[in-house]
Every structure is written in structure tokens, then in C-alpha cells.
């Protein structure tokens, strides 16, 4: 697909070459103050005071070397490195815009290298809407420093003060118009430099690239049938692999007959290790047929270990829990009315349109894996542990997958491919999951139960807020080998990592469980569940979607109790001016009128949240129509307002928020994993329906509030909670009955209205 697919490419080879700008340095001494001894005090007991070094911005704090982020070659070409992956959020384009802006180089001339354990900075997972906050901030500051280094070098060459020079289109320009290209400037040796805590960033009023809509660089291949995804990879000599999954979680292989499969045309090898079964074949269809034959020859010991799905909320609430206090700001209050409600959400899948896939190859003792994981470095460590090899003997390269945000089957398929590649005699191995495997075996987003109780004063204002949630951590990403599905089924199986309750500023299962509203008294408790009935991990937003859905639909219920308009009621309880601004803008652009009555069978809904109470602000207004005979909900139109701080690509932000709202609507109206006492039963699109193209709203507008000169806030997940809650509130407004159990299915709607 591109040069990065060559497992022989290393960071050293990329950075080598005459004239390349290679900046390496030590942080010692440059950023820390020397210890100061008090005059006259030379006691051996004196402890010198060392002033803490200022923290570097973004991911520079963990990877401070500038050459980890920016490379300028002798021909003037610029390569930018990022540890954040393109997952469909348009991050490639936005990061290139940031680099082009600060480096003063044409966007089209840049090359961006995305996560690769052999080339790029280790930025952990691409998650939590951190790409712009972490990588965007690091690249911006690194690019600005490189620009100033080049200007300084040109000043020496030209014998003029640096203040009289400026960078322009990949060159430094003197007061007389003389230009020196970046490539010529790096031909000489440069002093090693230190990343500084502050950079000479360009003023927003001088931007020519950032803040300008730009078509995404990843789209052409995806819409023209080009090589866009790891699923598209075809390497020379490549074998096709398939894996036989157990019929149910925890099932153990007790009978195995592979004779028929081995005799099939094209089959190269059958692999068994404990309860892990795989097959290698010359062609993909041969591998699929052999997998099916192997399935018939396998016998499994199963156990009925899953709860009654109809009683899942009661089961979750009855499980052993450990309580974590997310917020404790209780004060004596006197309310005149009390309101209480409980909400439930089932397990959900990621719904990746393309089942998970990976390619692996063992060459010169190194296992290279091309994967759509969201964390190549954590995956590298987990796969190395599974294989019993040193971590440097595994290389993971991110290639986009036709998947979904969160911990889906990407890491597991990478492990499948790595295992099968060990016996492929150096040939590349492509492992593609089947649809039923993706739906049944990916780590699900866990079921949740929430409960909220509020007290209102005589004016209908909220004076006391008590919130409880039952959930696990929502993330079991690698980690260790125990987080990889195939590793759990080997002859010597790896055990899943032990989970621990951890309250953090960003939250995980408890994410967004603390409202941004100003309540005089507030208490939030997370009833943390260590072991869930089904394997669960991260899906876009973690616990934020359910927590915001609960908070925002309950706010609507409280507004009704208070006889107030839902938008006015939210503004009444909001003190954050940026929050108030998005609420007001979304209402204005939607045409919201206080207590306006919708047409028959139509409903208006509104919702707001600031993602994690740390990232982007988002408010959503939605109109729906409910068909009373069928219970079907039609999305008519929507309007959203977003404040995501500094904006690199406005179109990219709009696309992110639109997609988030649509996905949230699908969760709210359709999605839920089903299972019996032994097996998952929602294994295809008929048993696990999602929102289809013909159900998209007729109009969905996203309005941005520019905040030039402020920090990047990350918008990838800000629309999830408000989007789903706005749909829920609109459904209530249309039918006059409040539904507390997700999804808001046709059957539940019909039951609520007595149809």
C-alpha cells in the first residue's frame, strides 16, 4: 500500500541520509534550574531546592526529542511523525494542517507517518478524543521550534538578524527577498537542541492553513476502491488464515479431527494449540471452507454461565461491587419535591462494517504485524508476551481498518495473525474474521444501570443531586497477553488482566457521571463491578454515553416537573459561559421556541454535555416523528453547536460530530446484544440491527464556535451523549411517555403508547 508496509524500513533508515535535520538532545540542564544553596549555609543536612522543570506541551512531555516528530530532508521534503492513528476521524488531515501551518510549508508537500513501533513516538492508545490535544499540540510546538531553528541557521548564512527573516513555503526569506530552501539549510551540521516548554507559535490572525476547511487525505482511496484498509492488503506470497472460534465463551476443545481439512485443496497447514484452532491456505475461499470443515470436526465442552437477559439489570445490581465516590459535595439542603428514576442499557457491539483483519509476517526473526489496533505499542508488548519473544522482536504497524472507534476485534485478529505467521515459513499471513465471529467475539461495550434522585426547591431549581451507576471499567485493552482473545485459549493460556477500581479526572465507566451543572449539593457513586458476565471493553465514549443519556433525559423530566422549558432549565443551572454559549447557539440554529408544541406525532428534544467535563462542549437539538402503528422513529432534523477550542479543520470537526450523533441515535433506537444462557445470539445484522442509510435525518447541521488561540479540546466523542439523549427526549415529547430502558425499540414504544 505504501512504503511503510515494508518490514525492512526502520526509523534509522528513514532518518539517515546526507543533509537530514536530525535533532537529538538531553533534557538535563536545559529545563531545570540549578540547585541553589543558601548563603552561609553549608550544612551537610541542607537539602537543596530544585525548581521543577516546566512540563513540555502535549505528547512532547513523553517524547521530547524533536526528531521524533519532524524530519527535514536535504531535498527540503518534510516528514511528520505521529503516534495517533487514523480511525476515520480525519486526524491525518488535521495533523498535517497543524504541521504545515507552523513549519510554513505547503500542505501537499508533507508526508505523515502514522503509528509504527519502529518509527513513530509512543503515544499509547488513540482514544479519549486526545489526538489533537496530545499529538496535535506536540506537532505544533515541535514544528514551530524547527521553523525557528531553520530561521536561525539562515540568519548565520546571510549575516542578518533572525528578526529580519521569515519562513515561507518551505524556505527562509531575507529582507531583500533572497530565499534559502529548508533542504539547503540542513546541509550543514546543526547543534543539538532541546525541546522548549514554550514555542514561538503563529498568531491565529496569521493562519493560512489551520482553521481552513480541507478535504481529507484518506477519503479518495476509500470511495474509489483503492487500497485504503488493512483488509485490502495483498503482499507477495501471502497465505490466508482463518480461525475457528469456540461456540461460547469459556468453551474448551475436547475433540479435534483435522484429517478432512488437511486433505482439502490449497490447505497449507492446520494449527492447534490448546483450544486455539487455525488454518492456512493459498486462497481465501479455501481457508474459509477449511475453517468450516474444522468446525465440524471440533467438539467443545460448554457451560451455561450467562444470566437471563431479561433480568440483566437486576443481575448487574446484584453482583459483588466496590463503591467508588466520584464526587462528594453533599450539603444540607431543603427541597420541596423529590424525583427519582432508573435507567438501563444492554451490552452493545462496535458494529464494524468490515470484520477485523490483520496481516503478519516473520522475517529475519522479527514478527511484523499490520493491524488496525488503536494502540500499536501496547499491542506490540502483548503479542511479544504471547509469543514468548522479546518486545524488540515484534513490530506493529497501524493500517486503517474498516472498523469502529474502541476496542473491537482489531487486537485479537492481530494476535491471530501473529500466531499463524510463526508456522508460515516466512510467508505473510492475512487473517480476516467472519461476520458472526466479529459480532460474537469482539469485546462488547458493557451493560449498565444508572439511578438518579434529585430534590427541587419551590422554584423548581435542583438543590440536591444523587447519582449511582453500576458498571465496570469499560476498558480491557492490552495490557498484557491476557487481553488478547487467542492467548486465552492456548495450551498454556494467559489470564486476563486483573481489573481495579480507579477514579480518574477523565473517568472510564464513570465518565461524565458528574454533571457540569451547578447544583448546591451533589453526590456521585460508582458501584464498580469487577467481573462482568460477558467480555467487555472500550466503545466510543466509554461510560459517557449512558451517563449523559441518563443525566440529560432526567434533566428534561425535572424541567417538566418545574414547568420550565428544557433549554431555559439547563441555562438556569449552567455557570460555565462556554457551555451556555453552545446551548444557546444550538437552540437558536434549531429554531427552538420555549415550550413550543410539536406537530402531531412529532417531538423536539434537547441535550448538552461537555465530554469528560474536560474536552469539547456539545449541545444537540433533534426533531423526530413516531409512527404509532409500528413504533418506528424517524429522525427528521437536527442542529448541534460545538466548542472544541482551536480548530485545525472545521469540516473535520463537523464530520466527527455528525457521525457521533448518528451513531448515538443508532445506539438509542436499535442496538443491543442478545444471548441465551450459553451463547451470544446476535451474530449478524438481522439479529443486531443498526441504523441504516434510509433512516438518516433529512437535515443535520453542526455549528462551530471558533476559539482561536485556545487549546485543542478534542471533538471525536463529544456528540455521543448529547446526540442519544436528544433523540430520547424527542421521543418522549412525541409520545408523552418516558422510556428508561435502552434501546428505545419499536416494541417498547408501542407498549408505552398502548399501540
Amino acid at each position: 500500500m505504501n512504503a511503510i508496509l515494508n518490514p525492512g524500513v526502520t526509523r534509522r533508515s528513514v532518518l539517515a541520509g546526507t543533509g537530514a535535520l536530525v535533532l537529538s538532545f538531553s533534557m538535563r540542564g536545559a529545563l531545570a534550574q540549578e540547585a541553589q544553596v543558601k548563603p552561609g549555609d553549608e550544612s551537610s543536612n541542607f537539602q537543596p531546592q530544585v525548581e521543577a522543570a516546566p512540563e513540555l506541551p502535549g505528547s512532547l512531555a513523553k517524547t521530547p526529542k524533536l526528531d521524533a516528530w519532524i524530519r527535514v530532508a536535504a531535498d527540503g521534503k518534510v516528514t511528520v511523525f505521529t503516534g495517533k492513528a487514523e480511525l476515520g476521524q480525519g486526524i491525518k488531515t488535521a495533523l498535517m494542517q497543524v504541521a504545515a501551518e507552523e513549519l510554513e510549508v505547503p500542505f501537499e508537500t508533507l508526508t505523515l507517518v502514522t503509528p509504527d513501533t519502529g518509527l513513530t513516538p509512543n503515544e499509547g492508545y488513540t482514544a479519549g478524543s486526545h489526538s489533537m490535544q496530545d499529538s496535535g499540540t506536540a506537532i505544533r510546538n515541535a514544528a514551530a521550534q524547527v521553523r525557528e531553528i531553520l530561521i536561525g541557521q539562515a540568519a548565520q548564512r546571510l549575516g542578518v538578524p533572525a528578526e529580519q527573516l521569515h519562513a515561507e513555503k518551505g524556505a527562509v526569506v531575507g529582507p531583500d527577498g533572497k530565499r534559502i530552501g529548508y533542504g539547503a539549510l540542513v546541509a550543514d551540521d546543526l547543534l543539538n537542541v532541546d525541546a522548549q516548554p514554550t514555542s514561538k507559535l503563529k498568531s491565529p490572525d496569521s493562519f493560512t492553513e489551520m482553521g481552513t476547511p480541507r478535504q481529507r487525505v484518506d477519503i479518495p482511496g476509500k470511495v474509489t476502491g483503492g487500497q485504503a484498509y488493512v483488509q485490502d492488503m495483498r503482499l507477495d506470497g501471502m497465505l490466508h488464515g482463518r480461525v475457528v472460534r469456540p461456540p461460547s465463551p469459556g468453551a474448551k476443545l475436547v475433540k479435534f479431527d483435522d484429517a478432512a481439512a488437511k486433505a482439502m485443496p490449497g490447505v497449507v497447514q492446520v494449527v492447534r494449540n490448546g483450544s486455539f484452532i487455525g488454518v492456512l491456505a493459498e486462497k481465501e475461499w479455501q481457508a474459509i471452507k477449511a475453517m468450516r470443515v474444522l468446525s465440524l470436526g471440533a467438539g467443545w465442552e460448554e457451560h451455561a454461565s450467562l444470566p437471563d437477559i431479561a433480568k440483566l439489570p437486576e443481575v448487574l445490581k446484584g453482583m459483588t461491587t466496590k463503591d467508588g465516590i466520584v464526587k462528594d459535595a453533599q450539603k444540607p439542603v431543603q427541597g420541596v419535591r423529590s424525583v427519582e428514576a432508573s435507567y438501563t442499557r444492554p451490552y452493545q457491539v462496535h458494529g464494524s462494517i468490515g470484520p477485523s483483519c490483520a496481516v503478519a509476517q516473520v522475517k529475519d526473526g522479527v514478527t511484523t504485524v499490520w493491524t488496525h489496533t488503536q494502540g500499536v505499542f501496547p499491542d506490540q508488548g502483548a503479542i511479544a508476551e504471547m509469543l514468548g519473544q522479546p518486545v524488540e522482536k515484534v513490530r506493529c504497524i497501524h493500517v486503517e481498518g474498516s472498523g469502529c472507534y474502541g476496542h473491537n476485534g482489531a487486537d485479537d485478529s492481530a494476535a491471530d495473525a501473529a500466531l499463524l505467521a510463526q508456522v508460515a515459513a516466512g510467508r505473510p499471513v492475512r487473517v480476516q474474521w467472519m461476520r458472526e465471529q466479529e459480532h460474537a467475539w469482539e469485546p462488547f461495550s458493557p451493560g449498565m444501570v444508572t439511578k438518579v434522585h434529585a430534590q427541587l426547591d419551590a422554584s423548581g431549581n435542583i438543590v440536591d443531586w444523587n447519582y449511582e451507576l453500576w458498571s465496570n471499567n469499560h476498558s480491557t485493552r492490552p495490557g498484557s497477553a491476557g487481553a488478547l482473545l487467542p492467548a486465552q485459549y492456548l495450551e498454556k493460556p494467559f489470564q486476563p488482566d486483573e481489573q481495579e477500581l480507579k477514579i480518574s479526572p477523565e473517568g472510564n465507566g464513570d465518565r461524565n457521571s458528574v454533571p457540569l451543572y451547578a447544583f448546591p449539593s451533589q453526590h456521585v457513586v460508582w458501584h464498580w463491578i469487577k467481573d462482568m458476565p460477558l467480555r467487555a471493553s472500550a466503545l466510543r465514549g466509554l461510560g459517557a454515553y449512558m451517563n449523559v443519556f441518563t443525566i440529560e433525559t432526567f434533566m428534561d423530566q425535572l424541567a417538566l416537573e418545574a414547568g420550565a422549558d428544557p433549554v431555559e432549565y439547563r441555562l438556569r443551572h449552567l455557570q460555565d459561559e462556554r457551555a451556555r454559549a453552545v446551548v444557546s447557539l444550538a437552540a437558536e440554529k434549531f429554531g427552538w421556541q420555549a415550550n413550543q408544541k410539536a406537530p402531531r406525532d412529532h417531538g423536539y428534544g434537547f441535550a448538552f454535555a461537555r465530554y469528560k467535563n474536560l474536552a469539547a462542549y456539545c449541545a444537540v437539538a433533534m426533531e423526530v416523528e413516531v409512527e404509532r402503528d409500528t413504533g418506528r422513529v424517524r429522525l427528521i432534523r437536527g442542529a448541534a453547536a460545538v466548542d472544541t477550542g482551536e480548530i485545525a479543520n472545521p469540516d473535520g470537526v463537523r464530520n466527527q460530530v455528525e457521525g457521533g450523533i448518528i451513531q448515538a441515535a443508532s445506539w438509542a433506537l436499535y442496538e443491543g446484544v442478545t444471548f441465551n444462557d450459553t451463547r451470544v445470539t446476535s451474530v449478524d445484522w438481522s439479529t443486531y440491527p443498526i441504523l441504516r442509510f434510509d433512516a438518516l435525518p433529512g437535515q443535520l447541521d453542526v455549528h462551530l464556535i471558533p476559539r482561536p488561540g485556545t487549546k485543542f479540546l478534542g471533538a471525536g466523542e463529544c456528540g455521543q451523549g448529547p446526540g442519544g439523549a436528544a433523540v430520547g427526549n424527542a421521543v418522549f415529547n412525541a409520545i408523552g411517555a418516558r422510556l428508561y430502558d435502552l434501546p428505545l425499540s419499536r416494541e417498547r414504544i408501542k407498549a408505552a403508547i398502548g399501540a
Side-chain angles (χ1 to χ4, degrees), residues 395-482:
R395 179 182 178 187
C396 290
I397 301 171
H398 181 267
V399 183
E400 291 182 62
S402 51
C404 181
Y405 304 110
H407 179 189
N408 60 0
D411 302 86
D412 299 328
S413 61
D416 290 337
L419 281 169
L420 295 181
Q422 305 307 306
V423 298
R427 296 177 68 179
V429 173
R430 177 183 179 272
V431 173
Q432 169 79 62
W433 280 19
M434 308 297 287
R435 170 55 54 194
E436 63 271 16
Q437 292 176 333
E438 187 77 30
H439 269 53
W441 285 99
E442 65 151 48
F444 301 138
S445 179
M448 291 182 68
V449 179
T450 58
K451 182 179 179 180
V452 59
H453 176 273
Q455 292 189 57
L456 310 182
D457 65 14
S459 299
N461 298 318
I462 302 168
V463 294
D464 183 59
W465 179 277
N466 279 274
Y467 188 87
E468 299 174 82
L469 68 132
W470 286 260
S471 177
N472 73 336
N473 284 342
H474 282 243
S475 184
T476 55
R477 286 182 167 121
S480 70

Side-chain angles (χ1 to χ4, degrees), residues 11 15 23 63-70 80-82 119-121:
R11 180 167 183 78
L15 293 179
L23 308 171
T63 308
K65 294 187 176 182
L66 295 186
D67 71 310
W69 304 94
I70 307 290
V80 180
F81 299 87
T82 178
L119 293 173
T120 64

Side-chain angles (χ1 to χ4, degrees), residues 378 500 542:
E500 296 181 357
L542 305 187

